[in-house]
Amino acid sequence: MITKRHLVFNLVILAVPWLSLLFLGKRNVKRYALAGAFIAVFAISNQILGRIRQWWKFYDKKVPFLKGELPFSMGPFVPLAMWILKDSYGNFKKFILWNMVADGFFAFLFIEVLKKLRIASLNRLSPVKFFIYLHYKAYLLYGVQWLYEKLRKKRQVPA
């Protein structure tokens, strides 16, 4: 059963990042939505693997996937990916730097907050391995957006 603290945390982690997209602009949301959706599906498949291999644990007994890992990929992960793409797409070094900062914050600092709140902690991963687990997806995200932009430009060129 999920505790009230964990439920409130999940609601906040889902609502706040998605509400921030109101400030991203409709055009940018459309432009980066495909890459965001792709990386969300990819992250969810990674989380299923992580759950099976017990890379992390949730303190509440038998927290289902929908209330455990899923809010992390559907909450901050997708909107943050879209914001980072908006700010840095076209400048790969800046994109990687932003992702390193965000992934480092989550892997080294935020995971400690989750542990102190008794929501979740790392189990079979060190913070460095968890950082790598989070960060490698940035390259896929950029690649998907690059392909999307390439195809979009190809369709806009008049024959």
Side-chain angles (χ1 to χ4, degrees), residues 9 37 44 58 76-77 83 96 101 112 136 138 149 153:
F9 176 81
I44 289 168
F58 286 87
F77 196 71
W83 275 104
I96 292 302
V101 168
E112 288 300 316
Y136 86 93
E149 296 288 333
K153 285 180 183 176

Side-chain angles (χ1 to χ4, degrees), residues 87-119:
D87 182 59
S88 62
Y89 183 75
N91 184 341
F92 187 68
K93 288 179 184 178
K94 185 177 180 183
F95 175 80
I96 292 302
L97 180 64
W98 270 119
N99 273 282
M100 288 179 85
V101 168
D103 296 336
F105 172 79
F106 194 81
F108 298 106
L109 299 174
F110 193 64
I111 200 73
E112 288 300 316
V113 172
L114 294 176
K115 191 175 186 178
K116 286 184 174 143
L117 291 174
R118 302 210 32 92
I119 291 174

Side-chain angles (χ1 to χ4, degrees), residues 2 6 10 47 51 58 63-72:
I2 191 167
H6 193 153
N10 282 353
Q47 288 174 337
R51 185 178 188 87
F58 286 87
V63 175
F65 182 78
L66 292 174
K67 294 178 183 175
E69 291 90 348
L70 191 63
F72 289 98

